[in-house]
Amino acid sequence: MEQKKILIITYYWPPAGGPGVQRWLKFSKYLPEFGWKPVIYTPENPSYPLLDESLMKDVPKDIEIVKTKIWEPYQLAEKLNNSNKKFKAGQFDLGKNQSWKSKLSIWVRGNFFIPDARVFWVKPSAKFLKQYLKENKIDLVVTSGPPHSLHLIGLRLKKILPTLKWVADFRDPWTEISYYKHLKLTKSSDKKHRHLESEVFKNADVTLATSYTDAENFRKNGANAVCITNGFDESDSNTDTLKPSSNPSQSFTLSYIGVLEQLRNPENLWKALDELLKTNSDFADHFRLKFAGRIDDKILNQIENSALKNHILNLGYLSHNKAVEEMWKSSLLLITNFPNESSKGIIPGKIFEYLATGKQIISFGPHKADVAKILDETKAGKHFSYNDSETIKSFILEKFELWKNGNLLENTQNIEQFSRRNLTKKLVEILSSL
Protein backbone atom coordinates (compact mmCIF):
# COMPACT_ATOMS: atom_id res chain seq x y z
CA MET A 1 0.00 0.00 0.00
CA GLU A 2 1.40 3.38 -1.05
CA GLN A 3 2.19 5.76 1.78
CA LYS A 4 0.48 9.14 1.95
CA LYS A 5 2.74 12.19 1.98
CA ILE A 6 2.63 14.91 4.62
CA LEU A 7 4.55 18.19 4.18
CA ILE A 8 5.60 19.56 7.57
CA ILE A 9 6.47 23.28 7.59
CA THR A 10 8.57 23.85 10.69
CA TYR A 11 11.11 26.46 11.72
CA TYR A 12 12.72 24.19 14.33
CA TRP A 13 14.55 21.13 13.08
CA PRO A 14 17.81 19.50 14.20
CA PRO A 15 20.41 20.73 14.99
CA ALA A 16 18.00 23.13 16.76
CA GLY A 17 17.82 22.37 20.48
CA GLY A 18 15.10 22.98 23.05
CA PRO A 19 11.52 21.70 23.24
CA GLY A 20 10.26 23.34 20.01
CA VAL A 21 12.02 20.82 17.77
CA GLN A 22 10.87 17.66 19.56
CA ARG A 23 7.20 17.49 18.55
CA TRP A 24 7.47 17.09 14.78
CA LEU A 25 10.82 15.34 14.94
CA LYS A 26 9.13 12.58 16.94
CA PHE A 27 5.97 12.55 14.82
CA SER A 28 8.21 12.23 11.74
CA LYS A 29 10.01 9.31 13.35
CA TYR A 30 6.81 7.30 13.87
CA LEU A 31 4.54 8.46 11.02
CA PRO A 32 5.89 5.89 8.50
CA GLU A 33 4.73 3.07 10.83
CA PHE A 34 1.17 4.30 10.25
CA GLY A 35 1.35 4.79 6.46
CA TRP A 36 2.42 8.45 6.22
CA LYS A 37 5.69 9.65 4.68
CA PRO A 38 6.89 13.00 6.11
CA VAL A 39 8.58 15.70 4.02
CA ILE A 40 10.16 18.55 5.97
CA TYR A 41 10.23 22.20 4.83
CA THR A 42 12.54 24.29 7.00
CA PRO A 43 14.87 27.32 6.71
CA GLU A 44 18.34 26.86 5.22
CA ASN A 45 19.99 29.47 7.50
CA PRO A 46 17.87 29.81 10.69
CA SER A 47 18.81 31.74 13.83
CA TYR A 48 18.34 29.16 16.57
CA PRO A 49 18.65 30.20 20.26
CA LEU A 50 19.91 26.70 21.15
CA LEU A 51 21.70 23.91 19.29
CA ASP A 52 21.65 20.19 20.12
CA GLU A 53 23.52 17.91 17.71
CA SER A 54 22.39 14.82 19.64
CA LEU A 55 18.88 15.19 18.16
CA MET A 56 20.25 14.39 14.70
CA LYS A 57 20.06 10.69 15.61
CA ASP A 58 16.25 10.88 15.52
CA VAL A 59 16.07 12.31 12.00
CA PRO A 60 14.90 9.43 9.75
CA LYS A 61 17.75 8.53 7.38
CA ASP A 62 15.65 8.60 4.21
CA ILE A 63 13.53 11.66 5.04
CA GLU A 64 13.19 14.34 2.36
CA ILE A 65 14.16 17.78 3.68
CA VAL A 66 13.44 20.85 1.57
CA LYS A 67 15.15 24.11 2.52
CA THR A 68 15.03 27.73 1.40
CA LYS A 69 16.84 30.80 2.73
CA ILE A 70 15.29 33.01 5.40
CA TRP A 71 16.10 36.60 6.36
CA GLU A 72 15.67 37.45 10.04
CA PRO A 73 16.29 40.80 11.76
CA TYR A 74 17.74 39.25 14.93
CA GLN A 75 21.33 40.12 14.10
CA LEU A 76 20.37 43.79 13.96
CA ALA A 77 18.40 43.48 17.21
CA GLU A 78 21.29 41.83 19.01
CA LYS A 79 23.60 44.69 18.01
CA LEU A 80 21.17 47.10 19.66
CA ASN A 81 20.99 45.03 22.84
CA ASN A 82 22.70 41.70 23.53
CA SER A 83 19.82 40.55 25.75
CA ASN A 84 17.62 40.44 22.63
CA LYS A 85 18.94 36.90 22.19
CA LYS A 86 16.39 35.99 24.86
CA PHE A 87 13.49 37.09 22.64
CA LYS A 88 14.10 34.22 20.24
CA ALA A 89 13.05 31.93 23.08
CA GLY A 90 10.17 34.18 24.24
CA GLN A 91 12.05 35.51 27.28
CA PHE A 92 11.75 39.06 28.60
CA ASP A 93 13.21 41.21 31.33
CA LEU A 94 10.45 42.54 33.56
CA GLY A 95 9.75 45.58 35.73
CA LYS A 96 12.84 47.05 37.31
CA ASN A 97 15.00 44.60 35.35
CA GLN A 98 13.89 46.23 32.09
CA SER A 99 16.30 48.78 30.60
CA TRP A 100 15.20 51.40 28.04
CA LYS A 101 16.89 49.28 25.36
CA SER A 102 14.83 46.25 26.43
CA LYS A 103 11.63 48.33 26.33
CA LEU A 104 12.43 49.65 22.86
CA SER A 105 13.36 46.19 21.55
CA ILE A 106 10.15 44.65 22.90
CA TRP A 107 8.05 47.44 21.37
CA VAL A 108 9.75 46.97 17.98
CA ARG A 109 9.41 43.20 18.15
CA GLY A 110 5.66 43.39 18.88
CA ASN A 111 4.64 46.16 16.51
CA PHE A 112 6.97 45.92 13.51
CA PHE A 113 7.20 42.14 13.11
CA ILE A 114 3.66 40.77 13.08
CA PRO A 115 3.23 38.05 14.16
CA ASP A 116 7.00 37.62 14.74
CA ALA A 117 10.42 38.26 13.26
CA ARG A 118 10.21 35.27 10.88
CA VAL A 119 7.44 36.98 8.90
CA PHE A 120 9.87 37.76 6.05
CA TRP A 121 9.91 34.05 5.17
CA VAL A 122 6.17 33.93 4.49
CA LYS A 123 5.93 35.34 0.93
CA PRO A 124 8.96 33.56 -0.55
CA SER A 125 7.93 30.27 1.10
CA ALA A 126 4.35 30.47 -0.18
CA LYS A 127 5.66 31.19 -3.68
CA PHE A 128 8.17 28.32 -3.54
CA LEU A 129 5.72 25.82 -2.03
CA LYS A 130 2.94 26.69 -4.47
CA GLN A 131 5.22 25.38 -7.22
CA TYR A 132 6.49 22.48 -5.11
CA LEU A 133 2.92 21.30 -4.39
CA LYS A 134 2.08 21.41 -8.11
CA GLU A 135 5.12 19.27 -8.95
CA ASN A 136 4.87 16.80 -6.05
CA LYS A 137 1.98 14.72 -4.75
CA ILE A 138 1.37 15.91 -1.20
CA ASP A 139 -1.75 14.71 0.62
CA LEU A 140 -1.64 17.15 3.52
CA VAL A 141 0.29 20.18 4.81
CA VAL A 142 1.09 20.91 8.47
CA THR A 143 2.35 24.25 9.79
CA SER A 144 3.90 24.28 13.25
CA GLY A 145 4.15 27.44 15.34
CA PRO A 146 5.53 29.37 17.05
CA PRO A 147 6.87 31.14 15.15
CA HIS A 148 3.26 31.74 14.10
CA SER A 149 4.46 33.29 10.83
CA LEU A 150 4.56 29.70 9.59
CA HIS A 151 0.78 29.49 9.90
CA LEU A 152 0.59 32.43 7.48
CA ILE A 153 2.43 30.27 4.93
CA GLY A 154 -0.31 27.66 5.36
CA LEU A 155 -3.01 30.35 5.13
CA ARG A 156 -1.60 31.67 1.83
CA LEU A 157 -1.32 28.17 0.38
CA LYS A 158 -4.89 27.33 1.43
CA LYS A 159 -6.21 30.45 -0.31
CA ILE A 160 -4.22 29.67 -3.48
CA LEU A 161 -5.17 25.95 -3.41
CA PRO A 162 -8.59 25.68 -1.66
CA THR A 163 -8.68 21.85 -1.87
CA LEU A 164 -5.41 21.59 0.06
CA LYS A 165 -5.75 19.79 3.40
CA TRP A 166 -4.07 21.96 6.04
CA VAL A 167 -3.43 21.29 9.73
CA ALA A 168 -2.26 24.23 11.89
CA ASP A 169 -0.32 22.94 14.87
CA PHE A 170 -0.04 25.39 17.79
CA ARG A 171 2.73 24.25 20.12
CA ASP A 172 1.94 27.43 22.08
CA PRO A 173 -1.01 29.82 21.77
CA TRP A 174 -0.72 33.04 19.77
CA THR A 175 -2.56 35.93 21.42
CA GLU A 176 -3.23 33.92 24.59
CA ILE A 177 0.42 33.21 25.36
CA SER A 178 1.63 34.77 28.62
CA TYR A 179 4.18 37.15 27.14
CA TYR A 180 1.72 38.56 24.57
CA LYS A 181 0.63 41.25 27.03
CA HIS A 182 4.29 42.24 27.52
CA LEU A 183 4.77 43.09 23.83
CA LYS A 184 3.71 46.75 24.30
CA LEU A 185 1.34 46.52 21.33
CA THR A 186 -0.52 49.47 19.86
CA LYS A 187 -4.27 48.99 19.36
CA SER A 188 -3.80 48.53 15.60
CA SER A 189 -1.02 45.95 16.12
CA ASP A 190 -3.13 44.00 18.60
CA LYS A 191 -6.01 44.06 16.12
CA LYS A 192 -3.76 42.76 13.34
CA HIS A 193 -2.42 39.91 15.51
CA ARG A 194 -5.95 38.87 16.44
CA HIS A 195 -7.23 39.12 12.86
CA LEU A 196 -4.44 36.91 11.51
CA GLU A 197 -4.96 34.36 14.29
CA SER A 198 -8.69 34.27 13.52
CA GLU A 199 -8.00 33.74 9.79
CA VAL A 200 -5.79 30.75 10.61
CA PHE A 201 -8.44 29.27 12.91
CA LYS A 202 -11.19 29.70 10.30
CA ASN A 203 -9.25 28.35 7.32
CA ALA A 204 -7.28 25.42 8.73
CA ASP A 205 -9.07 22.09 8.35
CA VAL A 206 -7.88 21.13 11.83
CA THR A 207 -6.10 23.14 14.51
CA LEU A 208 -3.97 21.07 16.87
CA ALA A 209 -3.38 22.20 20.44
CA THR A 210 -0.90 20.76 22.91
CA SER A 211 -3.20 21.18 25.91
CA TYR A 212 -6.85 20.60 26.81
CA THR A 213 -7.45 24.24 27.74
CA ASP A 214 -5.84 25.58 24.55
CA ALA A 215 -8.04 23.31 22.42
CA GLU A 216 -11.11 24.56 24.25
CA ASN A 217 -10.06 28.21 23.81
CA PHE A 218 -9.31 27.70 20.11
CA ARG A 219 -12.77 26.17 19.59
CA LYS A 220 -14.34 29.23 21.25
CA ASN A 221 -12.51 31.35 18.67
CA GLY A 222 -13.83 29.42 15.68
CA ALA A 223 -11.21 26.69 15.23
CA ASN A 224 -11.86 23.02 14.60
CA ALA A 225 -9.45 22.22 17.42
CA VAL A 226 -8.21 18.91 18.82
CA CYS A 227 -5.72 18.32 21.62
CA ILE A 228 -2.69 16.10 21.06
CA THR A 229 -0.29 16.69 23.90
CA ASN A 230 3.45 16.34 23.64
CA GLY A 231 4.93 13.16 25.05
CA PHE A 232 7.97 11.03 25.75
CA ASP A 233 9.86 8.73 23.44
CA GLU A 234 10.44 5.34 25.01
CA SER A 235 13.68 4.97 23.07
CA ASP A 236 14.99 8.09 24.86
CA SER A 237 13.68 7.43 28.32
CA ASN A 238 13.46 3.72 28.97
CA THR A 239 16.96 2.45 28.26
CA ASP A 240 19.05 0.07 30.34
CA THR A 241 21.82 2.66 30.51
CA LEU A 242 19.53 5.15 32.26
CA LYS A 243 17.68 2.92 34.70
CA PRO A 244 20.65 2.21 36.99
CA SER A 245 21.00 5.99 37.45
CA SER A 246 17.62 6.02 39.14
CA ASN A 247 19.06 4.37 42.25
CA PRO A 248 19.11 6.63 45.33
CA SER A 249 22.15 8.88 45.46
CA GLN A 250 23.92 10.42 48.44
CA SER A 251 21.92 13.63 47.93
CA PHE A 252 18.22 14.36 47.96
CA THR A 253 18.27 16.20 44.63
CA LEU A 254 15.59 18.55 43.33
CA SER A 255 16.32 19.17 39.65
CA TYR A 256 15.15 21.72 37.13
CA ILE A 257 15.94 20.71 33.54
CA GLY A 258 15.62 23.32 30.79
CA VAL A 259 15.31 27.07 30.37
CA LEU A 260 14.04 29.12 33.32
CA GLU A 261 13.22 32.78 32.80
CA GLN A 262 11.86 35.47 35.11
CA LEU A 263 8.23 35.01 34.08
CA ARG A 264 8.24 31.45 35.50
CA ASN A 265 10.40 32.00 38.56
CA PRO A 266 8.96 30.06 41.57
CA GLU A 267 10.06 32.52 44.25
CA ASN A 268 7.87 30.82 46.87
CA LEU A 269 9.76 27.56 46.30
CA TRP A 270 13.13 29.23 46.86
CA LYS A 271 11.72 30.79 50.02
CA ALA A 272 10.39 27.43 51.27
CA LEU A 273 13.71 25.72 50.59
CA ASP A 274 15.61 28.57 52.28
CA GLU A 275 13.49 28.12 55.41
CA LEU A 276 13.90 24.32 55.38
CA LEU A 277 17.68 24.61 55.09
CA LYS A 278 17.82 27.05 57.99
CA THR A 279 15.53 25.07 60.31
CA ASN A 280 16.17 21.40 59.44
CA SER A 281 19.81 20.32 59.73
CA ASP A 282 19.09 16.79 58.49
CA PHE A 283 17.52 18.20 55.32
CA ALA A 284 20.41 20.66 54.93
CA ASP A 285 22.95 17.81 55.16
CA HIS A 286 21.40 15.96 52.23
CA PHE A 287 19.71 18.52 49.96
CA ARG A 288 21.00 19.60 46.57
CA LEU A 289 19.35 21.91 43.98
CA LYS A 290 20.45 20.97 40.46
CA PHE A 291 20.02 23.05 37.30
CA ALA A 292 20.62 21.60 33.85
CA GLY A 293 19.81 24.25 31.28
CA ARG A 294 19.78 28.00 30.91
CA ILE A 295 18.78 29.79 34.08
CA ASP A 296 18.23 33.55 34.01
CA ASP A 297 21.14 35.33 35.72
CA LYS A 298 18.78 37.36 37.89
CA ILE A 299 17.16 34.17 39.22
CA LEU A 300 20.57 32.69 40.01
CA ASN A 301 21.58 35.88 41.83
CA GLN A 302 18.40 35.71 43.90
CA ILE A 303 19.05 32.07 44.88
CA GLU A 304 22.73 32.70 45.66
CA ASN A 305 21.70 35.38 48.17
CA SER A 306 19.90 32.77 50.30
CA ALA A 307 20.73 29.62 52.25
CA LEU A 308 20.54 27.74 48.94
CA LYS A 309 23.90 29.18 47.88
CA ASN A 310 25.96 26.21 49.06
CA HIS A 311 23.51 23.60 47.78
CA ILE A 312 23.45 24.50 44.06
CA LEU A 313 24.82 22.35 41.26
CA ASN A 314 24.55 24.32 38.01
CA LEU A 315 25.44 22.12 35.03
CA GLY A 316 24.56 24.68 32.34
CA TYR A 317 22.99 23.72 29.01
CA LEU A 318 23.26 19.99 28.21
CA SER A 319 22.47 17.93 25.13
CA HIS A 320 19.06 16.27 25.19
CA ASN A 321 20.58 12.86 25.99
CA LYS A 322 22.56 14.23 28.93
CA ALA A 323 19.53 16.19 30.18
CA VAL A 324 17.45 12.99 30.25
CA GLU A 325 20.26 11.28 32.20
CA GLU A 326 20.14 14.05 34.80
CA MET A 327 16.38 13.55 35.18
CA TRP A 328 16.97 9.91 36.08
CA LYS A 329 19.64 10.88 38.62
CA SER A 330 17.21 13.13 40.51
CA SER A 331 14.97 12.54 43.54
CA LEU A 332 12.38 15.23 42.69
CA LEU A 333 11.81 17.05 39.41
CA LEU A 334 10.71 20.68 39.16
CA ILE A 335 8.48 22.17 36.48
CA THR A 336 7.20 25.76 36.33
CA ASN A 337 4.60 27.62 34.33
CA PHE A 338 3.56 31.25 34.03
CA PRO A 339 1.50 32.30 37.08
CA ASN A 340 -1.41 34.02 35.32
CA GLU A 341 -4.78 32.32 34.80
CA SER A 342 -4.52 32.49 31.00
CA SER A 343 -1.55 30.09 31.16
CA LYS A 344 -3.35 27.17 32.79
CA GLY A 345 -3.41 25.42 29.41
CA ILE A 346 0.37 25.39 28.97
CA ILE A 347 1.83 21.90 29.41
CA PRO A 348 5.62 22.19 29.22
CA GLY A 349 7.00 19.42 27.00
CA LYS A 350 9.49 18.21 29.57
CA ILE A 351 6.76 17.00 31.92
CA PHE A 352 6.36 13.94 29.70
CA GLU A 353 10.04 13.04 29.88
CA TYR A 354 9.77 13.61 33.62
CA LEU A 355 6.83 11.16 33.68
CA ALA A 356 8.86 8.54 31.82
CA THR A 357 11.41 8.43 34.66
CA GLY A 358 8.76 7.60 37.24
CA LYS A 359 10.19 10.32 39.52
CA GLN A 360 7.92 12.55 41.60
CA ILE A 361 7.26 16.01 40.15
CA ILE A 362 6.71 19.33 41.93
CA SER A 363 4.93 21.81 39.67
CA PHE A 364 4.17 25.55 39.86
CA GLY A 365 1.61 27.49 37.87
CA PRO A 366 -1.95 28.81 37.91
CA HIS A 367 -4.76 27.14 39.85
CA LYS A 368 -6.54 24.26 38.03
CA ALA A 369 -3.81 24.00 35.39
CA ASP A 370 -3.77 21.21 32.80
CA VAL A 371 -0.48 20.07 34.34
CA ALA A 372 -2.33 19.42 37.62
CA LYS A 373 -4.79 17.20 35.74
CA ILE A 374 -1.94 15.14 34.29
CA LEU A 375 -0.19 14.79 37.65
CA ASP A 376 -3.43 13.71 39.31
CA GLU A 377 -4.19 11.17 36.53
CA THR A 378 -0.72 9.65 36.66
CA LYS A 379 -0.10 9.96 40.45
CA ALA A 380 3.23 11.55 39.51
CA GLY A 381 3.44 14.52 41.89
CA LYS A 382 1.74 17.70 43.04
CA HIS A 383 0.89 21.07 41.51
CA PHE A 384 1.13 24.31 43.51
CA SER A 385 0.08 27.87 42.82
CA TYR A 386 2.55 30.73 43.26
CA ASN A 387 0.74 31.70 46.48
CA ASP A 388 1.32 28.38 48.26
CA SER A 389 4.00 28.27 50.95
CA GLU A 390 3.56 25.92 53.95
CA THR A 391 2.07 23.15 51.77
CA ILE A 392 5.23 23.23 49.62
CA LYS A 393 7.43 22.58 52.65
CA SER A 394 5.18 19.72 53.76
CA PHE A 395 5.32 18.08 50.32
CA ILE A 396 9.11 18.37 50.08
CA LEU A 397 9.66 17.05 53.63
CA GLU A 398 7.28 14.14 52.97
CA LYS A 399 9.30 13.15 49.88
CA PHE A 400 12.57 13.68 51.76
CA GLU A 401 11.52 11.26 54.52
CA LEU A 402 10.48 8.66 51.92
CA TRP A 403 13.84 9.12 50.15
CA LYS A 404 15.78 8.68 53.40
CA ASN A 405 13.97 5.40 54.07
CA GLY A 406 14.45 4.17 50.48
CA ASN A 407 10.71 4.36 49.77
CA LEU A 408 10.59 7.12 47.14
CA LEU A 409 9.38 4.52 44.65
CA GLU A 410 8.24 4.84 41.07
CA ASN A 411 4.48 4.30 41.37
CA THR A 412 3.11 6.36 38.51
CA GLN A 413 0.26 4.99 36.39
CA ASN A 414 -1.39 5.47 32.96
CA ILE A 415 1.67 7.16 31.44
CA GLU A 416 1.69 5.05 28.24
CA GLN A 417 -1.00 7.33 26.75
CA PHE A 418 1.75 9.96 26.44
CA SER A 419 4.26 7.86 24.50
CA ARG A 420 5.27 9.42 21.16
CA ARG A 421 4.18 6.29 19.27
CA ASN A 422 0.67 6.32 20.79
CA LEU A 423 0.36 10.07 20.19
CA THR A 424 1.39 9.60 16.54
CA LYS A 425 -1.30 6.95 16.21
CA LYS A 426 -3.83 9.49 17.51
CA LEU A 427 -2.51 12.09 15.04
CA VAL A 428 -2.89 9.67 12.12
CA GLU A 429 -6.53 9.01 13.05
CA ILE A 430 -7.16 12.77 12.70
CA LEU A 431 -5.21 13.07 9.43
CA SER A 432 -7.03 10.08 7.92
CA SER A 433 -10.40 11.63 8.72
CA LEU A 434 -9.76 14.70 6.56
Side-chain angles (χ1 to χ4, degrees):
M1 185 178 169
E2 189 182 353
Q3 285 189 317
K4 290 186 174 182
K5 271 192 174 181
I6 177 171
L7 177 68
I8 299 160
I9 302 173
T10 178
Y11 181 83
Y12 295 103
W13 190 254
V21 69
Q22 301 271 342
R23 185 167 170 86
W24 286 95
L25 176 62
K26 299 298 187 180
F27 280 144
S28 298
K29 180 179 176 180
Y30 291 111
L31 275 166
E33 288 185 24
F34 299 98
W36 286 79
K37 183 177 181 181
V39 177
I40 306 300
Y41 177 70
T42 195
E44 189 178 309
N45 55 323
S47 177
Y48 292 142
L50 295 171
L51 296 175
D52 187 346
E53 297 287 344
S54 74
L55 294 176
M56 295 296 291
K57 70 174 172 45
D58 274 330
V59 177
K61 287 184 173 59
D62 59 346
I63 196 168
E64 182 182 347
I65 301 176
V66 181
K67 295 182 177 183
T68 63
K69 283 201 164 95
I70 185 172
W71 181 81
E72 303 178 64
Y74 277 116
Q75 286 181 325
L76 297 174
E78 285 166 20
K79 281 179 185 174
L80 175 66
N81 184 7
N82 196 47
S83 70
N84 283 336
K85 290 179 181 178
K86 294 181 182 180
F87 298 169
K88 285 187 273 192
Q91 297 175 44
F92 298 90
D93 288 329
L94 291 176
K96 62 182 182 222
N97 292 323
Q98 211 174 66
S99 68
W100 70 266
K101 283 186 178 180
S102 289
K103 290 176 183 175
L104 176 60
S105 301
I106 292 166
W107 185 83
V108 170
R109 180 237 193 267
N111 293 284
F112 277 74
F113 308 125
I114 298 176
D116 49 64
R118 278 76 179 222
V119 70
F120 301 99
W121 200 45
V122 174
K123 282 184 183 177
S125 291
K127 184 180 178 183
F128 173 84
L129 290 173
K130 175 187 172 185
Q131 194 60 33
Y132 181 88
L133 291 169
K134 284 180 180 176
E135 295 171 2
N136 296 271
K137 186 182 183 300
I138 297 291
D139 296 281
L140 189 141
V141 169
V142 170
T143 55
S144 183
H148 296 306
S149 288
L150 274 63
H151 296 313
L152 302 189
I153 298 172
L155 183 62
R156 281 175 179 255
L157 292 174
K158 183 74 171 178
K159 291 190 173 179
I160 296 166
L161 306 164
T163 58
L164 179 72
K165 298 297 180 188
W166 169 36
V167 173
D169 177 56
F170 281 76
R171 300 189 319 278
D172 287 317
W174 184 334
T175 60
E176 292 298 318
I177 198 162
S178 290
Y179 62 72
Y180 183 80
K181 68 177 182 293
H182 295 293
L183 291 177
K184 304 183 187 297
L185 299 176
T186 63
K187 281 186 179 178
S188 62
S189 295
D190 176 57
K191 189 176 178 182
K192 188 172 180 183
H193 275 281
R194 294 183 186 281
H195 171 72
L196 291 171
E197 178 186 49
S198 175
E199 284 290 291
V200 170
F201 285 158
K202 282 191 291 188
N203 286 278
D205 293 281
V206 170
T207 296
L208 293 182
T210 57
S211 76
Y212 318 113
T213 298
D214 285 350
E216 189 181 326
N217 288 339
F218 295 167
R219 285 191 288 269
K220 285 176 186 172
N221 286 307
N224 176 25
V226 180
C227 172
I228 298 185
T229 67
N230 288 309
F232 63 88
D233 192 341
E234 288 152 314
S235 67
D236 289 341
S237 308
N238 200 25
T239 67
D240 293 335
T241 57
L242 288 176
K243 277 198 168 180
S245 304
S246 64
N247 292 332
S249 66
Q250 295 301 307
S251 299
F252 177 68
T253 306
L254 169 60
S255 297
Y256 183 89
I257 315 290
V259 177
L260 182 60
E261 74 275 9
Q262 293 169 44
L263 289 171
R264 296 185 293 110
N265 180 18
E267 293 186 0
N268 54 337
L269 172 63
W270 312 139
K271 186 181 174 190
L273 290 170
D274 179 64
E275 289 172 5
L276 283 172
L277 289 168
K278 286 174 177 173
T279 58
N280 189 321
S281 58
D282 190 22
F283 182 80
D285 286 343
H286 293 94
F287 180 71
R288 180 167 63 174
L289 176 62
K290 179 169 69 180
F291 292 118
R294 292 197 175 170
I295 312 303
D296 190 286
D297 290 340
K298 294 178 176 73
I299 296 175
L300 281 175
N301 289 339
Q302 177 188 356
I303 292 170
E304 286 170 356
N305 284 322
S306 72
L308 283 162
K309 181 179 181 178
N310 299 319
H311 298 265
I312 300 170
L313 175 63
N314 188 1
L315 301 174
Y317 180 75
L318 299 177
S319 70
H320 181 247
N321 285 353
K322 293 287 184 188
V324 172
E325 268 185 53
E326 293 303 330
M327 294 176 196
W328 282 82
K329 291 177 184 175
S330 306
S331 315
L332 267 182
L333 293 165
L334 169 62
I335 197 162
T336 68
N337 195 352
F338 304 103
N340 43 303
E341 191 67 20
S342 63
S343 299
K344 69 178 186 176
I346 295 176
I347 306 174
K350 70 171 147 277
I351 191 175
F352 303 106
E353 290 180 312
Y354 280 9
L355 286 174
T357 68
K359 307 291 182 180
Q360 284 288 292
I361 299 164
I362 182 167
S363 165
F364 289 87
H367 188 54
K368 293 185 177 176
D370 285 9
V371 166
K373 179 181 176 183
I374 290 173
L375 292 179
D376 287 344
E377 265 183 30
T378 57
K379 308 289 186 227
K382 192 167 176 63
H383 179 78
F384 297 92
S385 78
Y386 282 93
N387 297 321
D388 290 325
S389 56
E390 288 303 316
T391 48
I392 298 169
K393 286 198 279 188
S394 300
F395 176 79
I396 292 170
L397 279 177
E398 176 195 328
K399 300 306 172 189
F400 174 61
E401 291 300 325
L402 288 170
W403 171 83
K404 267 202 314 181
N405 298 320
N407 293 324
L408 195 56
L409 302 175
E410 300 168 12
N411 57 359
T412 53
Q413 59 189 42
N414 302 323
I415 67 165
E416 63 284 345
Q417 62 181 304
F418 300 114
S419 79
R420 293 286 187 181
R421 183 179 271 108
N422 284 336
L423 292 166
T424 305
K425 184 180 179 184
K426 184 178 177 182
L427 171 68
V428 164
E429 288 168 5
I430 294 166
L431 302 183
S432 300
S433 71
L434 296 177

